[in-house]
Short mmCIF file of all heavy atoms in Angstrom, two decimals:
data_model
loop_
_atom_site.label_atom_id
_atom_site.label_comp_id
_atom_site.label_asym_id
_atom_site.label_seq_id
_atom_site.Cartn_x
_atom_site.Cartn_y
_atom_site.Cartn_z
N ALA B 257 112.55 174.26 189.48
CA ALA B 257 112.69 172.81 189.39
C ALA B 257 113.60 172.28 190.49
O ALA B 257 113.33 171.24 191.09
CB ALA B 257 113.24 172.44 188.01
N TRP B 258 114.67 173.01 190.75
CA TRP B 258 115.57 172.54 191.80
C TRP B 258 114.85 172.49 193.14
O TRP B 258 114.87 171.49 193.84
CB TRP B 258 116.82 173.45 191.92
CG TRP B 258 117.55 173.11 193.17
CD1 TRP B 258 117.36 173.66 194.39
CD2 TRP B 258 118.48 172.04 193.33
NE1 TRP B 258 118.14 173.01 195.33
CE2 TRP B 258 118.83 172.02 194.70
CE3 TRP B 258 119.04 171.11 192.46
CZ2 TRP B 258 119.73 171.09 195.21
CZ3 TRP B 258 119.95 170.19 192.98
CH2 TRP B 258 120.28 170.18 194.34
N TRP B 259 114.20 173.60 193.48
CA TRP B 259 113.59 173.68 194.82
C TRP B 259 112.46 172.67 194.97
O TRP B 259 112.32 172.01 195.98
CB TRP B 259 113.10 175.12 195.08
CG TRP B 259 112.62 175.27 196.50
CD1 TRP B 259 111.35 175.36 196.92
CD2 TRP B 259 113.45 175.29 197.67
NE1 TRP B 259 111.30 175.45 198.28
CE2 TRP B 259 112.58 175.41 198.78
CE3 TRP B 259 114.82 175.22 197.89
CZ2 TRP B 259 113.04 175.46 200.10
CZ3 TRP B 259 115.28 175.28 199.21
CH2 TRP B 259 114.40 175.38 200.28
N ASN B 260 111.64 172.55 193.94
CA ASN B 260 110.52 171.62 194.03
C ASN B 260 111.02 170.18 194.14
O ASN B 260 110.51 169.39 194.94
CB ASN B 260 109.59 171.78 192.84
CG ASN B 260 108.31 170.99 193.03
OD1 ASN B 260 108.21 169.87 192.58
ND2 ASN B 260 107.34 171.58 193.72
N ASN B 261 112.03 169.83 193.35
CA ASN B 261 112.58 168.47 193.45
C ASN B 261 113.16 168.22 194.83
O ASN B 261 112.97 167.15 195.41
CB ASN B 261 113.66 168.26 192.38
CG ASN B 261 113.08 167.73 191.09
OD1 ASN B 261 112.96 166.53 190.88
ND2 ASN B 261 112.70 168.63 190.21
N HIS B 262 113.87 169.20 195.34
CA HIS B 262 114.42 169.06 196.69
C HIS B 262 113.29 168.83 197.69
O HIS B 262 113.35 167.90 198.50
CB HIS B 262 115.23 170.30 197.06
CG HIS B 262 115.23 170.61 198.52
ND1 HIS B 262 115.81 169.78 199.46
CD2 HIS B 262 114.69 171.66 199.23
CE1 HIS B 262 115.64 170.30 200.68
NE2 HIS B 262 114.96 171.43 200.57
N ARG B 263 112.26 169.64 197.63
CA ARG B 263 111.18 169.53 198.60
C ARG B 263 110.51 168.16 198.51
O ARG B 263 110.19 167.54 199.52
CB ARG B 263 110.13 170.61 198.37
CG ARG B 263 110.40 171.98 198.99
CD ARG B 263 111.27 171.95 200.18
NE ARG B 263 110.85 172.79 201.29
CZ ARG B 263 111.60 173.02 202.38
NH1 ARG B 263 112.80 172.47 202.48
NH2 ARG B 263 111.17 173.76 203.37
N VAL B 264 110.26 167.71 197.29
CA VAL B 264 109.47 166.50 197.09
C VAL B 264 110.32 165.23 197.26
O VAL B 264 109.99 164.32 198.03
CB VAL B 264 108.85 166.53 195.67
CG1 VAL B 264 108.20 165.21 195.32
CG2 VAL B 264 107.84 167.67 195.58
N VAL B 265 111.42 165.17 196.55
CA VAL B 265 112.20 163.93 196.54
C VAL B 265 112.92 163.74 197.87
O VAL B 265 112.95 162.63 198.42
CB VAL B 265 113.21 163.92 195.36
CG1 VAL B 265 114.04 162.65 195.38
CG2 VAL B 265 112.47 164.06 194.05
N ASP B 266 113.51 164.80 198.40
CA ASP B 266 114.21 164.64 199.67
C ASP B 266 113.24 164.27 200.79
O ASP B 266 113.60 163.53 201.71
CB ASP B 266 114.98 165.92 200.02
CG ASP B 266 116.19 166.11 199.10
OD1 ASP B 266 116.70 165.09 198.59
OD2 ASP B 266 116.62 167.25 198.90
N ALA B 267 112.01 164.79 200.69
CA ALA B 267 111.01 164.43 201.71
C ALA B 267 110.76 162.93 201.68
O ALA B 267 110.83 162.24 202.71
CB ALA B 267 109.70 165.18 201.43
N ALA B 268 110.48 162.41 200.49
CA ALA B 268 110.08 161.01 200.40
C ALA B 268 111.28 160.07 200.55
O ALA B 268 111.29 159.20 201.43
CB ALA B 268 109.38 160.76 199.06
#
Side-chain angles (χ1 to χ4, degrees):
Chain B
W258 168 270
W259 187 254
N260 189 266
N261 271 271
H262 150 65
R263 276 334 223 189
V264 171
V265 179
D266 289 334

